[in-house]
Amino acid sequence: WKKLNVELTTRTLGHLGMALSASDFVLAKRKWNSFSRTLGEFFNNYDVLLMPVMADQPQPHGTFAVSRAEERLMKIVNSLGLHKLALKGNIVEQMAKASLEKLPYTMLANLTGTPAMSVPLYWTKDGLPMGSQFVAPMGEDTRLFTLAAELEKAQPWFNRRPPAPRS
């Protein structure tokens, strides 16, 4: 992990994943498999699933960055190899909960491995794009690309840009 050029949070999550016991890993994979099967059943009746991307209005750049305290804690955990200890506490759950409060909808496609896309179909009164997420059945990436092309033709977004931040 030290040789990989990844963000601190990603590196820490990788270490935490490697610190899981085999039984915990298998239980987690079973849950993910259950989510995948349920979503697969959904697609027996529907072509795509439409959800928002965020639970709130667009946030300023850096809103989801970890705090300095969290950053220090991750560095300590990583440098001392305290990942198993971190898993026993509720630190990971707190960080996950904080993330899911803002981005609860994108997790489904991430966990199930199904293709998903976000397109800016709505713009706030301040001119900021709101993502609409479309999820397709496993292996149906082409369906999303086709849909994106149709949506952009109907409501072009290619040349739209949010206003520059005020100084």
Side-chain angles (χ1 to χ4, degrees):
W1 282 99
K2 290 182 180 183
K3 293 182 180 182
L4 294 178
N5 186 19
V6 295
E7 291 179 338
L8 177 62
T9 304
T10 303
R11 179 176 288 115
T12 304
L13 289 172
H15 284 299
L16 289 168
M18 291 187 311
L20 284 173
S21 69
S23 61
D24 286 342
F25 175 76
V26 169
L27 288 173
K29 289 299 283 184
R30 284 184 181 164
K31 285 181 185 177
W32 294 5
N33 186 43
S34 174
F35 299 149
S36 297
R37 289 180 178 276
T38 301
L39 189 58
E41 290 173 16
F42 171 86
F43 288 124
N44 287 332
N45 298 309
Y46 302 96
D47 294 330
V48 294
L49 172 61
L50 168 62
M51 298 184 287
V53 170
M54 296 180 60
D56 202 353
Q57 296 285 320
Q59 302 294 309
H61 179 72
T63 298
F64 300 118
V66 294
S67 69
R68 289 183 190 255
E70 290 169 328
E71 184 177 330
R72 281 193 296 267
L73 180 60
M74 283 190 278
K75 286 180 179 179
I76 291 168
V77 167
N78 289 344
S79 66
L80 298 177
L82 302 174
H83 304 97
K84 287 188 179 190
L85 183 63
L87 286 171
K88 290 184 186 215
N90 68 349
I91 296 169
V92 176
E93 286 81 8
Q94 288 175 355
M95 290 176 71
K97 184 178 178 184
S99 175
L100 287 172
E101 285 176 356
K102 300 286 186 187
L103 293 164
Y105 306 106
T106 58
M107 186 64 65
L108 180 64
N110 292 337
L111 288 176
T112 60
T114 52
M117 69 175 181
S118 171
V119 292
L121 296 180
Y122 177 79
W123 293 72
T124 67
K125 64 181 178 183
D126 297 328
L128 298 174
M130 293 283 296
S132 298
Q133 178 185 208
F134 293 86
V135 181
M138 191 67 72
E140 291 292 333
D141 305 65
T142 303
R143 183 178 300 182
L144 293 179
F145 286 121
T146 302
L147 178 59
E150 291 175 14
L151 290 170
E152 185 171 18
K153 186 176 180 182
Q155 190 170 325
W157 65 75
F158 180 77
N159 290 322
R160 287 193 76 168
R161 301 285 183 267
R166 295 181 186 154
S167 315

